[in-house]
Amino acid sequence: MLLRCVLKELMALKEVEKNLLLVELNGLLQTDDKIALKEITRQLHLENVVGDKVFGSFAENLAFLLEALKRGDKSSSRPVVFVLDEFDLFAHHKNQTLLYNLLDVSQSAQTPVAVLGLTCRLDVLELLEKRVKSRFSHRQIHLFSSLTFPQYVDVVRGQLSLTQDFPQPTFSSQWNKSISKLCEDKSVLDILKRNFNTSKDFRSLQSLLFLVVSRLSISHSTLEEADFLEASRLTFADSKANVLHGLSILELCLVIAMKHLNDTYDGEPFNFQMIHNEFKKFIQRKSHSIHKFEKPVVMKAFEHLVQLELVRPLDSGGVCKVQREYQLMRMMLDHTQVMEALQRYPQCPTDVKQWALSAFA
Amino acid sequence: PRLANPSIPSRLTPAKKPGNVLEEARTRTVWWGGGRLHVSSIPESLPCREQEFQDIYNFVESKVIDGTGGCMYISGVPGTGKTATVHEVIRSLQQSAEHEEIPHFNFIEINGMKMTDPHQAYVQILQKLTEQKATPDHAAALLEKRFSAPAPKKETTVLLVDELDLLWTRKQNVMYNLFDWPTRRNARLVVLTIANTMDLPERIMINRVASRLGLTRMSFQPYTFKQLQQIIASRLNRVKAFEEDALQLVAALSGDARRCLDICRRATEICELSGIQQKGSGLVGMSHVMEALDEMFSSCYIAAIRCASVQEQLFLRAVLAEFRRLGLEEATFQQVFVQHQGLCRVEGLQPVSVSEGLAVCQKLGSCRLLLLEGSRLDLFLRVRLNVSQDDVLYALKVD
């Protein structure tokens, strides 16, 4: 964003616009040096480019590009700006050839180039090889958001308000008034505060506001705090708890059995047979005939849980030579999640609930 | 497009000439190493490398005059002027060849980093010798023939191999050939090799390659404080832009000349900026250098932790608490999460859900404050700190 603004402002200068060559690369697209080189030569329109195709092998391309860069000098050739997005991925290329060469050119009296790397990793310099690092100019700009909460609310207001040049001034002033009123509302502030506490970046704010704004319609033309509540409910919902709500009673019973196993054996892995035993004990002790299922049915329910990845085998990946009943498993749920889901489960039988709570008693 | 001359399109308007003292100082501190020497910015002679210069000069000169061949291995950490010195040697040798003091010779340069594959070395050498293009195998055969066949009036070739360690292959045949050719009777080839580590021949070369490399070695020591001071002074010669003590501070920092010149350049920029705001002495002073140093070398982790959101800071605190409880430097997400929820309650915040906690954890992981395993493991992914515990404590405590 910052870079875009800078480049836009630079390009607005006439002298710069005529003289600057911009090459943009992205570590996610240019996954190795070969592709990156092709992209560079294509964007620079060197002579081995015909149409949009780049000719020559990888080695030829590199020699070609270096030759081109070497021929230039400070006073006669146009400066080139390289923008490397996802810079850390470029450091994973073989030998870091591309980085070495770009930085080498930037440090020597060849074509004037500027290399701008963008990355989210703080330790990116440690990825660089020694000789590459020596050529890097060690100039870093860190963008941390050091906003305070009042500033954050101002940003929200700014994001939601309509600009001056909106065609209908009456509506826009009305709208802006309602927005600033909302920004002083207690419950809205609570939601914003929570979002602010979780993450200070603007993307998460924007995704929250997007949910808010998308609830607008012709019949509902001003934002209310209910919209914020609904949006925050959507963003803060726990994904696993939602999955638990959609389970059948039998599956829920299995989850509870697993939770008990976790409690008694302190997080040790378990297998299907153990869960089944636990479940049988429960039926014998308490339940009526409603919960008496055949073993294959229970097995099916268990497999369903495995497919939802609420339960995962201990040795993931490998070919399982063990029978399904005896394969060691782990539950991927926290206790709080289970208990919360149980509280909210629609029409949960009382005996199941009691069974779940019994461990704490 | 084989015959085309690749070049960057030339600029439409000419570059500006440096307007004042500071700008001139900045352009003069540009590092000159790498490929071709740029005439306008090389100093008259390389300061502080006179001894090494003399050694290499004598070596190459004697070989050129005798018409024999030989190898030399040059090592040293990055930024100590290896490549620049060799270039300097070659330049002055070429000058004396022009004055017909010594026989003419060819100079070829290859760089291991500028090749896609070690075998491309053959192609590049052949191309620079004869302007032929060939596949690596064919080129190797042609070079073999050229260096072993006797030919009268053959000129001596000086071959500079930069970043030698990258020419390593499993059978080491590229290195073997490079060192074997000079030993041929008719080759008249002088090979100068440059790499970073001193013990490279012992470490990665098999015996027959190392023995052909021979014992002519030279190592470049990192620059001392005095030498760096001299280098910067010579680079700035006559331009008065730096205060004396500022220069000394710069020189005291590291043995890497590139780093030093970078600091100088940055300090000059800072000075220029502040010069716009207030009319100072116009010289780069101590404060400017200090600012540049801070910018370049200060650790960004502490600042990053301070600017993190509340939950992220809580999560880090939970990690520390869990480490202390376990006595280990590693914990699973589940364990940390329990601590995290406890801390939330203590701080009077709404407890976070697992999804939220995981999102916070991933965010810290993506900027590498934490080291994480793949997120598929979910509750069982292991969490480690990438910074020292003291740093985290310090960063969290101040506010």
Side-chain angles (χ1 to χ4, degrees):
Chain A
M1 186 74 180
L2 180 71
L3 190 69
R4 291 262 161 273
C5 289
V6 168
L7 286 176
K8 203 173 153 201
E9 208 163 295
L10 262 180
M11 285 303 191
L13 299 176
K14 211 164 187 188
E15 195 187 359
V16 176
E17 193 207 340
K18 272 194 283 180
N19 283 326
L20 191 76
L21 292 168
L22 185 66
V23 178
E24 286 175 324
L25 302 174
N26 190 317
L28 292 169
L29 297 175
Q30 280 80 41
T31 48
D32 65 16
D33 283 351
K34 204 171 181 171
I35 306 169
L37 269 181
K38 280 205 173 156
E39 190 60 22
I40 293 174
T41 34
R42 197 183 64 74
Q43 291 191 22
L44 284 178
H45 299 293
L46 295 181
E47 277 97 337
N48 62 342
V49 181
V50 177
D52 252 357
K53 281 228 172 79
V54 180
F55 290 102
S57 66
F58 178 31
E60 271 174 51
N61 273 331
L62 181 64
F64 202 85
L65 180 68
L66 289 177
E67 187 63 24
L69 289 172
K70 217 163 154 186
R71 245 164 235 247
D73 65 34
K74 200 170 151 251
S75 47
S76 68
S77 54
R78 288 167 77 167
V80 187
V81 174
F82 289 93
V83 177
L84 306 182
D85 210 347
E86 312 289 346
F87 184 76
D88 48 319
L89 297 176
F90 284 98
H92 291 304
H93 292 179
K94 190 183 160 241
N95 284 345
Q96 307 186 341
T97 314
L98 182 76
L99 288 184
Y100 176 91
N101 285 312
L102 286 184
L103 293 177
D104 196 47
V105 172
S106 78
Q107 296 255 312
S108 58
Q110 302 174 5
T111 308
V113 300
V115 183
L116 303 171
L118 311 172
T119 180
C120 66
R121 288 184 61 160
L122 293 170
D123 61 345
V124 73
L125 284 186
E126 278 141 55
L127 295 176
L128 296 181
E129 254 190 85
K130 224 170 23 169
R131 53 187 150 220
V132 182
K133 202 172 164 185
S134 164
R135 282 169 175 79
F136 169 65
S137 68
H138 285 264
R139 208 169 286 185
Q140 304 180 56
I141 299 177
H142 297 291
L143 300 179
F144 299 124
S145 75
S146 51
L147 284 176
T148 57
F149 186 61
Q151 285 170 323
Y152 191 76
V153 176
D154 282 344
V155 170
V156 173
R157 195 175 296 136
Q159 292 259 318
L160 286 179
S161 300
L162 290 172
T163 48
Q164 294 288 331
D165 51 353
F166 191 72
Q168 282 175 313
T170 46
F171 178 77
S172 85
S173 69
Q174 233 172 31
W175 170 270
N176 287 347
K177 226 174 264 165
S178 77
I179 292 298
S180 27
K181 207 169 144 202
L182 262 183
C183 284
E184 283 149 20
D185 188 280
K186 180 85 174 45
S187 55
V188 172
L189 282 181
D190 276 348
I191 292 164
L192 289 179
K193 181 87 186 173
R194 180 154 185 219
N195 199 43
F196 175 72
N197 279 345
T198 335
S199 134
K200 279 183 182 174
D201 60 7
F202 290 129
R203 286 254 171 85
S204 71
L205 173 64
Q206 274 167 348
S207 61
L208 178 77
L209 293 184
F210 186 74
L211 284 175
V212 173
V213 173
S214 60
R215 284 172 59 84
L216 286 175
S217 63
I218 294 178
S219 55
H220 177 82
S221 62
T222 47
L223 288 178
E224 284 159 21
E225 51 178 277
D227 299 325
F228 274 88
L229 281 173
E230 179 65 21
S232 77
R233 203 181 55 75
L234 284 175
T235 39
F236 293 125
D238 189 64
S239 53
K240 287 255 176 75
N242 283 350
V243 174
L244 282 176
H245 283 250
L247 294 180
S248 69
I249 292 289
L250 173 59
E251 284 154 355
L252 200 66
C253 286
L254 290 184
V255 169
I256 295 169
M258 285 190 274
K259 177 186 151 291
H260 284 319
L261 281 175
N262 258 344
D263 283 344
T264 32
Y265 298 112
D266 195 28
E268 288 295 308
F270 43 77
N271 61 23
F272 172 69
Q273 208 58 49
M274 293 160 79
I275 300 168
H276 191 60
N277 281 341
E278 194 80 6
F279 181 56
K280 263 201 310 209
K281 268 194 272 173
F282 161 62
I283 295 171
Q284 280 162 5
R285 240 181 322 141
K286 297 228 171 127
S287 185
H288 323 292
S289 51
I290 320 165
H291 299 311
K292 270 201 182 110
F293 296 102
E294 299 288 317
K295 194 172 172 185
V297 179
V298 181
M299 184 70 196
K300 200 71 213 165
F302 180 68
E303 275 175 4
H304 190 210
L305 289 181
V306 174
Q307 272 178 355
L308 287 171
E309 293 209 346
L310 293 177
V311 187
R312 283 183 60 188
L314 204 58
D315 50 338
S316 53
V319 190
C320 40
K321 287 172 191 140
V322 199
Q323 259 181 306
R324 274 181 306 184
E325 285 94 331
Y326 304 112
Q327 205 179 6
L328 287 178
M329 296 295 211
R330 255 195 178 147
M331 183 166 71
M332 309 302 281
L333 287 169
D334 200 54
H335 287 185
T336 50
Q337 284 175 306
V338 179
M339 298 317 289
E340 209 179 285
L342 215 65
Q343 296 301 327
R344 295 217 195 124
Y345 196 87
Q347 286 150 18
C348 179
T350 1
D351 46 355
V352 175
K353 242 180 202 170
Q354 273 169 358
W355 179 44
L357 290 168
S358 65
F360 294 115
Chain B
R2 291 221 152 176
L3 297 171
N5 287 335
S7 64
I8 303 290
S10 53
R11 50 192 295 152
L12 301 173
T13 51
K16 275 190 197 160
K17 287 272 178 292
N20 58 25
V21 184
L22 288 178
E23 268 182 44
E24 194 176 347
R26 206 173 51 188
T27 49
R28 273 174 191 255
T29 46
V30 173
W31 182 252
W32 74 90
R36 187 180 54 177
L37 293 170
H38 190 41
V39 204
S40 65
S41 67
I42 39 163
E44 288 78 65
S45 75
L46 277 177
C48 315
R49 289 294 180 214
E50 290 84 10
Q51 185 57 43
E52 286 85 356
F53 176 86
Q54 203 55 46
D55 285 352
I56 302 175
Y57 189 92
N58 290 345
F59 177 81
V60 180
E61 190 190 31
S62 66
K63 299 289 181 208
V64 169
I65 291 176
D66 297 347
T68 54
C71 296
M72 185 173 204
Y73 177 74
I74 302 167
S75 63
V77 292
T80 46
K82 302 179 294 292
T83 313
T85 310
V86 173
H87 277 279
E88 198 57 27
V89 168
I90 298 299
R91 209 168 57 98
S92 57
L93 277 172
Q94 271 166 344
Q95 263 175 10
S96 52
E98 266 169 40
H99 299 307
E100 313 246 325
E101 287 157 10
I102 60 167
H104 273 276
F105 63 94
N106 274 330
F107 174 62
I108 300 174
E109 181 188 4
I110 58 174
N111 185 328
M113 254 330 216
K114 300 190 176 176
M115 275 176 258
T116 55
D117 175 88
H119 296 282
Q120 286 292 327
Y122 298 134
V123 180
Q124 294 202 357
I125 296 172
L126 187 74
Q127 198 183 6
K128 284 172 183 165
L129 267 178
T130 62
E131 308 251 313
Q132 275 178 298
K133 267 196 173 181
T135 59
D137 288 340
H138 189 52
L142 285 176
L143 285 173
E144 181 75 36
K145 214 164 95 190
R146 186 185 159 98
F147 287 125
S148 49
K153 289 176 72 182
K154 188 150 76 173
E155 280 184 352
T156 303
T157 310
V158 178
L159 174 64
L160 170 62
V161 185
D162 212 343
E163 313 289 0
L164 177 73
D165 48 329
L166 287 167
L167 294 183
W168 187 87
T169 53
R170 214 162 52 78
K171 287 170 100 181
Q172 310 201 350
N173 43 6
V174 177
M175 283 197 205
Y176 178 81
N177 275 332
L178 279 179
F179 302 138
D180 192 39
W181 288 331
T183 61
R184 306 276 166 80
R185 203 165 179 205
N186 302 305
R188 305 192 115 194
L189 178 68
V190 182
V191 181
L192 303 172
T193 56
I194 298 180
N196 285 339
T197 48
M198 211 190 312
D199 57 346
L200 187 78
E202 285 76 26
R203 236 171 355 107
I204 67 168
M205 293 183 197
I206 48 178
N207 283 336
R208 62 193 156 103
V209 177
S211 96
R212 276 173 177 77
L213 174 59
L215 292 172
T216 324
R217 308 252 181 106
M218 165 175 291
S219 73
F220 276 61
Q221 299 304 318
Y223 287 115
T224 59
F225 162 69
K226 276 265 151 52
Q227 289 172 326
L228 278 175
Q229 212 175 332
Q230 216 175 323
I231 289 173
I232 303 170
S234 85
R235 194 56 75 80
L236 287 169
N237 66 345
R238 289 193 306 279
V239 180
K240 178 86 183 99
F242 273 78
E243 281 168 21
E244 204 50 44
D245 47 351
L247 262 190
Q248 284 187 1
L249 176 67
V250 172
L253 281 159
S254 80
D256 190 334
R258 280 197 197 103
R259 190 69 49 79
C260 258
L261 294 175
D262 279 331
I263 299 169
C264 284
R265 225 172 329 152
R266 180 64 195 146
T268 325
E269 275 178 15
I270 293 172
C271 180
E272 249 176 287
L273 266 183
S274 64
I276 292 169
Q277 287 154 10
Q278 68 207 359
K279 287 284 165 221
S281 63
L283 291 184
V284 182
M286 206 64 174
S287 57
H288 301 127
V289 175
M290 287 305 277
E291 202 176 324
L293 283 177
D294 260 6
E295 243 174 56
M296 286 172 154
F297 296 109
S298 65
S299 160
C300 48
Y301 290 113
I302 291 175
I305 294 174
R306 279 199 193 145
C307 291
S309 69
V310 177
Q311 294 290 358
E312 284 160 5
Q313 289 179 344
L314 270 188
F315 193 87
L316 281 174
R317 222 181 277 178
V319 171
L320 287 186
E322 189 60 23
F323 282 178
R324 203 166 299 154
R325 191 179 74 84
L326 292 172
L328 293 171
E329 293 279 285
E330 192 177 88
T332 65
F333 171 71
Q334 194 170 21
Q335 292 168 324
V336 177
F337 181 70
V338 172
Q339 294 275 0
H340 188 183
Q341 281 202 316
L343 279 176
C344 276
R345 277 190 211 105
V346 171
E347 297 283 320
L349 294 167
Q350 227 171 334
V352 286
S353 65
V354 178
S355 302
E356 266 178 275
L358 204 59
V360 167
C361 179
Q362 292 294 347
K363 196 148 177 266
L364 290 171
S366 73
C367 64
R368 298 296 153 134
L369 284 169
L370 297 177
L371 295 173
L372 301 177
E373 288 180 305
S375 56
R376 273 206 72 189
L377 289 169
D378 215 12
L379 284 179
F380 297 102
L381 68 86
R382 279 196 286 271
V383 177
R384 275 181 297 148
L385 274 179
N386 196 22
V387 261
S388 76
Q389 299 199 6
D390 295 337
D391 278 0
V392 179
L393 278 177
Y394 173 71
L396 292 175
K397 204 156 270 172
V398 172
D399 53 51

